[in-house]
Amino acid sequence: MPQDRDTALEDEMLMARAAWLYYVGGLNQEAAAKRLGITRARVNKLLQDARETGVVSITINPTNVGLLPVEDSIRDRFGLDFCICTPALGSDRNGAEASDLLKDFAFRAVGAAAAAHLRTHLASREDAIIGTGWGRTLQQMTLQLAGVRAPKARFISVMGSLTANSAYNPFEVVHAFARATGGEGYVMPVPFIADSVEDRKVLLAQRSVQQALELGRSASVAYISIGELTEDSLLRRQKMLTAEEVVELRAAGAVGDTNGIFFDDEGRAVDHPLNQRTLALGLQELHKANAVGLIAGQSKLRAAHAFLKSGAARGLIIDGDTALLLMKEI
Amino acid sequence: MPQDRDTALEDEMLMARAAWLYYVGGLNQEAAAKRLGITRARVNKLLQDARETGVVSITINPTNVGLLPVEDSIRDRFGLDFCICTPALGSDRNGAEASDLLKDFAFRAVGAAAAAHLRTHLASREDAIIGTGWGRTLQQMTLQLAGVRAPKARFISVMGSLTANSAYNPFEVVHAFARATGGEGYVMPVPFIADSVEDRKVLLAQRSVQQALELGRSASVAYISIGELTEDSLLRRQKMLTAEEVVELRAAGAVGDTNGIFFDDEGRAVDHPLNQRTLALGLQELHKANAVGLIAGQSKLRAAHAFLKSGAARGLIIDGDTALLLMKEI
DNA sequence: CAATATGAAATACATTTGTATTTTAGCCTC
DNA sequence: GAGGCTAAAATACAAATGTATTTCATATTG
């Protein structure tokens, strides 16, 4: 049941005061509790809430994480407006065990950086139209937007949806963005890979799809991620592709995809029927929609390189370790 | 002895990585230490350094701290563009003991709020010219600018420097701003209170001083603090004033100063030789330079009230407790 | 008005963090 | 290469923090 409004306000105020005392004032929880006349346990909970809801936010100065030269190189090499790297963490002393954890980190790191980027973007244009893709990185991004309010912003998926439902689904992603910011969300209520070329035509003719695509094309920024083309890839795991299709696509030269558009090592859309069945903004359209590529995880290295060659992206947010590998290739 | 440059960079990188693992990645210090191949104690120190040097900064979302009516009243009463209050914390159950801590807290709180303000300002005009004053509040402000990059910004002291060197010195403040943001810093390489009226003329004639003042006048925002006029005031403690001068100034009606300009309860510059020896932007010039007054600590109440009457400020950032007291007076 | 649900206080305890001390390893100086 | 210096590792311990449990007061509901 909904909490009383006064109580909620009172609560948020207490939260802010506790947070100030603790984080800015440097009091410990006990002292802060005494000061506020409540128990330490309560202060502890308040602080937890404050972090979760974004009343307090912790930022790390991106200067001197040591990747500025890398950022510049990548930006210049691929003609981007900007390139942001998260800190490189790769040099762990105990090689094997960490790789899983590391991958998770990459998603969070890139998600956090992307969230910060969006925050800045919304600060300058609060009525922005923001295109969104799908996947784990995008999902992480939505989780780290606490405290961002943008009731006038509109989030629009630049692609159709998954059939299987998961937190990575464009539908969920857009919803999460809208909820986090108080803005509006729009999705394309069709699968993003149609069953046949004919089906695609029918779906594409839908007014709601046309409207969504139209809105997506006018985005002032669009956050999209890319996929690698392997048996482990999310596309496969979500059953959007069959094993045979993967083999075919690879045979056609495909090394990765963005929003279901498969491209080869040179960043060109490959000649394969699947590419005729995708319901999403194309590579050129993404560029016009100010696409920002989010790259998390070293398994995406090859796909990332190819994607950058395609020229679809205006900007790049990439985890530091993958960026370092990319540097070696260019 | 000065540390090797490479080592320093290496160190700062390690700091950033540790901070990232801990604050963003959510690892505890032990896990982060293992990941980085160093001891937990070292991680602990790195994190401490990271906080102190502003590599990580913790900001608090200022919505709903409950002082909006106070902010509006003060803003309207003194014709300001804006007034920002930090949370009021005065209602501690155990009256006496806290006053010292509270004061320290006020500096930090106002510094944090001012840092957030600057952050926003720089977001809209990255090549801004920013005037700066001196003192503990300004110094705190510089420590809380983590994550702000503004290589095109210029920071210019609106006043001469202290003779005694301290972290509060305009020189240090400007330097800290420049370092934190990557921007440029300019100072007036002269004392801000000359030994005599004649000396002031000579110093003022310096080309570098003229240039600095010129630049300061064109600031798009200037952060300045005010001082109360007591034996405890920073001016006295930094030996910028003799005890006799304080007595004289008080006799002339002075209740406070900003940048060495002494004013009375009505906010008028008092008629005293000292006011002829100050090397700094005057009250009217500060208004033109879009001055924002930073007020931290209840001991500054009277001076703050007078300062606001002077009309020198375009905006105000004040700690909540002092704001509440101010409210009672107006 | 009694029954019940709720949120916070009180309490207790395990974990994490901060800090001091000692030991070790590398490095500079002579 | 011995001596002394420094930074970090290793260790140990005290303080703060996170979390669960029980108890209590208050508000809500039938």
Side-chain angles (χ1 to χ4, degrees):
Chain A
M1 61 211 52
Q3 208 180 9
D4 187 282
R5 274 193 82 253
D6 279 359
T7 318
L9 249 178
E10 192 68 33
D11 238 38
E12 196 159 339
M13 222 174 115
L14 198 59
M15 203 156 82
R17 290 173 67 188
W20 272 97
L21 286 169
Y22 186 75
Y23 287 113
V24 186
L27 298 186
N28 64 28
Q29 298 182 358
E30 185 132 26
K34 210 151 106 189
R35 172 74 65 85
L36 295 170
I38 57 181
T39 56
R40 186 176 66 76
R42 182 126 189 258
V43 169
N44 192 284
K45 262 195 252 311
L46 284 169
L47 292 176
Q48 208 170 298
D49 288 352
R51 284 189 298 262
E52 278 169 11
T53 60
V55 168
V56 310
S57 67
I58 298 175
T59 56
I60 294 186
N61 193 330
T63 347
N64 291 333
V65 291
L67 290 169
L68 266 63
V70 178
E71 293 178 345
D72 289 350
S73 298
I74 294 176
R75 189 192 59 214
D76 295 345
R77 164 65 183 80
F78 296 106
L80 302 170
D81 292 342
F82 67 89
C83 170
I84 296 169
C85 292
T86 66
L89 303 163
S91 69
D92 51 344
R93 303 299 196 260
N94 33 353
E97 60 85 26
S99 83
D100 244 26
L101 206 75
L102 201 67
K103 201 166 171 185
D104 263 18
F105 271 148
F107 290 124
R108 284 170 73 162
V110 175
H117 183 266
L118 173 58
R119 202 176 301 236
T120 310
H121 185 81
L122 284 172
S124 60
R125 25 168 85 216
E126 60 174 14
D127 58 347
I129 295 171
I130 292 132
T132 64
W134 73 302
R136 286 159 292 184
T137 315
L138 267 293
Q139 198 249 339
Q140 274 298 322
M141 181 179 171
T142 65
L143 295 180
Q144 312 208 41
L145 276 175
V148 179
R149 294 247 358 121
K152 291 182 191 160
R154 282 178 290 175
F155 296 88
I156 166 74
S157 171
V158 297
M159 58 190 295
S161 302
L162 298 184
T163 37
N165 210 354
S166 83
Y168 316 139
N169 196 315
F171 184 83
E172 294 299 328
V173 167
V174 165
H175 187 247
F177 271 118
R179 185 160 34 82
T181 61
E184 291 176 5
Y186 302 85
V187 291
M188 291 190 211
V190 294
F192 86 92
I193 298 183
D195 287 340
S196 69
V197 180
E198 288 72 38
D199 283 6
R200 176 176 181 273
K201 276 189 194 142
V202 175
L203 295 172
L204 201 55
Q206 299 287 314
R207 235 168 65 86
S208 61
V209 173
Q210 284 299 326
Q211 284 176 337
L213 284 171
E214 198 50 53
L215 199 56
R217 284 191 198 99
S218 62
S220 59
V221 64
Y223 299 95
I224 58 172
S225 59
I226 64 159
E228 73 273 33
L229 192 60
T230 68
E231 268 304 304
D232 279 344
S233 75
L234 202 53
L235 272 180
R236 269 299 285 139
R237 274 190 274 161
Q238 297 286 335
K239 312 278 188 225
M240 295 302 292
L241 291 182
T242 64
E244 292 75 41
E245 284 171 330
V246 170
V247 172
E248 284 175 33
L249 283 164
R250 295 187 74 86
V255 299
D257 84 293
T258 184
N259 306 345
I261 300 161
F262 297 89
F263 46 75
D264 65 17
D265 263 327
E266 295 307 312
R268 294 169 306 215
V270 298
D271 185 19
H272 184 278
L274 251 170
N275 262 353
Q276 310 306 321
R277 285 160 45 194
T278 304
L279 286 145
L281 292 188
L283 295 174
Q284 288 76 16
E285 288 178 308
L286 284 173
H287 185 87
K288 283 188 204 131
N290 302 296
V292 174
L294 309 185
I295 315 276
Q298 302 175 22
S299 64
K300 297 213 170 117
L301 177 60
R302 188 176 179 187
H305 195 167
F307 170 71
L308 285 169
K309 284 189 189 165
S310 80
R314 285 277 174 81
L316 183 71
I317 301 177
I318 185 170
D319 73 272
D321 299 296
T322 308
L324 285 171
L325 293 178
L326 189 57
M327 256 300 264
K328 287 190 196 153
E329 298 199 352
I330 64 178
Chain B
M1 60 208 55
Q3 207 180 10
D4 186 283
R5 274 193 83 252
D6 280 358
T7 319
L9 248 177
E10 191 69 32
D11 238 40
E12 198 157 339
M13 228 176 112
L14 198 60
M15 202 156 84
R17 291 172 66 188
W20 195 91
L21 286 169
Y22 186 75
Y23 288 112
V24 184
L27 296 186
N28 64 27
Q29 298 181 359
E30 185 131 24
K34 211 152 105 190
R35 171 70 68 87
L36 295 170
I38 57 182
T39 55
R40 187 176 64 76
R42 183 126 187 257
V43 169
N44 191 285
K45 263 194 252 309
L46 284 169
L47 292 175
Q48 207 169 299
D49 288 352
R51 284 187 298 261
E52 277 168 13
T53 60
V55 168
V56 309
S57 80
I58 299 175
T59 55
I60 294 190
N61 197 334
T63 30
N64 289 335
V65 290
L67 289 168
L68 268 63
V70 178
E71 292 178 346
D72 289 350
S73 297
I74 293 176
R75 189 192 59 213
D76 295 344
R77 165 63 184 81
F78 296 106
L80 301 170
D81 292 342
F82 66 89
C83 170
I84 296 169
C85 293
T86 67
L89 302 163
S91 68
D92 52 343
R93 305 296 197 259
N94 36 352
E97 58 87 24
S99 82
D100 245 24
L101 226 138
L102 202 66
K103 200 167 171 184
D104 262 18
F105 183 88
F107 290 124
R108 289 164 74 156
V110 173
H117 183 267
L118 173 58
R119 199 176 303 237
T120 310
H121 185 80
L122 284 173
S124 60
R125 25 168 86 216
E126 61 174 13
D127 59 345
I129 296 171
I130 292 132
T132 63
W134 73 302
R136 285 159 293 186
T137 314
L138 267 292
Q139 197 250 341
Q140 275 299 323
M141 180 178 169
T142 64
L143 295 180
Q144 312 206 40
L145 277 174
V148 179
R149 290 241 7 116
K152 292 182 189 162
R154 283 177 288 177
F155 295 89
I156 167 74
S157 171
V158 297
M159 57 189 295
S161 303
L162 298 183
T163 36
N165 210 352
S166 84
Y168 316 139
N169 196 315
F171 183 82
E172 295 299 329
V173 167
V174 165
H175 187 248
F177 270 117
R179 184 161 34 83
T181 61
E184 290 176 5
Y186 301 86
V187 291
M188 292 188 210
V190 293
F192 86 92
I193 299 182
D195 286 340
S196 70
V197 181
E198 289 73 37
D199 283 4
R200 176 174 180 274
K201 278 189 194 141
V202 174
L203 295 173
L204 201 55
Q206 301 287 313
R207 234 168 65 89
S208 61
V209 173
Q210 283 300 325
Q211 284 176 337
L213 283 172
E214 199 49 51
L215 199 56
R217 283 189 199 100
S218 62
S220 59
V221 63
Y223 299 95
I224 58 173
S225 59
I226 64 160
E228 73 271 35
L229 192 59
T230 68
E231 268 304 305
D232 278 344
S233 75
L234 201 54
L235 273 181
R236 268 298 285 137
R237 275 191 273 162
Q238 297 285 337
K239 312 281 189 223
M240 295 302 293
L241 291 182
T242 64
E244 292 76 40
E245 285 171 329
V246 170
V247 173
E248 283 175 34
L249 283 164
R250 296 187 73 86
V255 298
D257 83 293
T258 184
N259 306 345
I261 302 160
F262 298 88
F263 46 76
D264 64 18
D265 262 326
E266 295 307 310
R268 294 168 306 217
V270 298
D271 185 21
H272 184 279
L274 252 171
N275 262 354
Q276 311 305 320
R277 285 162 43 195
T278 304
L279 286 144
L281 292 189
L283 295 175
Q284 288 77 16
E285 287 178 309
L286 284 174
H287 185 87
K288 283 187 204 133
N290 302 296
V292 174
L294 309 185
I295 314 278
Q298 302 176 22
S299 64
K300 299 216 169 112
L301 176 62
R302 188 176 178 185
H305 196 167
F307 169 72
L308 285 169
K309 284 189 189 166
S310 79
R314 284 276 174 81
L316 184 71
I317 301 177
I318 185 170
D319 73 272
D321 298 297
T322 308
L324 286 172
L325 293 177
L326 189 58
M327 257 299 265
K328 288 190 195 153
E329 296 197 354
I330 63 178

